[in-house]
Amino acid sequence: MRKIKAKKKITRKEIKKPDQFITTTTKIYNYVKEHKKPIIFGSAAILLVIILIYGIFFIKEKRLITASSMLYKAELAMNSEIEGSEYSEETAKILKEVMERYSGNVYGNRARYMLARYMIKHNRYEPAEELLMFFKDNPEKVDVYLLSSALETLGWLLERKGDYLSAGNIYVMITELEPNPLGVKPYEDAGRCFEKIGRFEEAIRIYNEAIAKYSRTSRTIPIVGRLKKIYLSLQK
């Protein structure tokens, strides 16, 4: 027959031993009671920081929404203009406001580029060039895709007034972007500008760079043709 083990008797000492949960709770209560003021001030400070962070985030989001809305309004006005219509001071004012209020961020940069394009559309080339020079001088502050478009437009303006050296250097800037969203085109534009002022060595260098980088595409065919013409002209 299997023996049944007797249950272990609980001693008086064990019965009197305080419960661990009750003891811990009591200690916490006493600590809170003892340090009531510092805990209240600390909690208030944490809450204040949370409120401040949320407030800053809310204000920032509201600013960006406002900027986006203003740009959309200006874009609608520009797109709805009839061909040959006069320069709108109101449209330009909206773009200037966004550009100044959000200078250095994506909306400010976009407004600057839009304003420059709008001025070019209405033959205001000098102020457009001044606006676009910002992109040349502050490339690190601009998204690479917007930067390439802005520099290309600036290069076109400089070509238009016959400053081929400056235009060529602007196009070279585009070729050095990582990534270069415009591919072969700025190489061809830069080389063409250097050719016009007789800087054939620079033109050959930039054309060869394009061929080496984009040799697998058909887009380099015009560049190869330009290179042949240079070599033929130099042999005469």
Side-chain angles (χ1 to χ4, degrees), residues 145-162:
Y145 295 96
L146 177 60
L147 179 60
S148 61
S149 297
L151 290 176
E152 185 181 37
T153 307
L154 176 59
W156 177 84
L157 278 174
L158 293 168
E159 269 195 87
R160 184 187 169 278
K161 69 177 188 179

Side-chain angles (χ1 to χ4, degrees), residues 38-51:
I39 288 170
I40 290 170
F41 288 131
S43 301
I46 291 167
L47 184 63
L48 183 62
V49 169
I50 292 168
I51 291 168

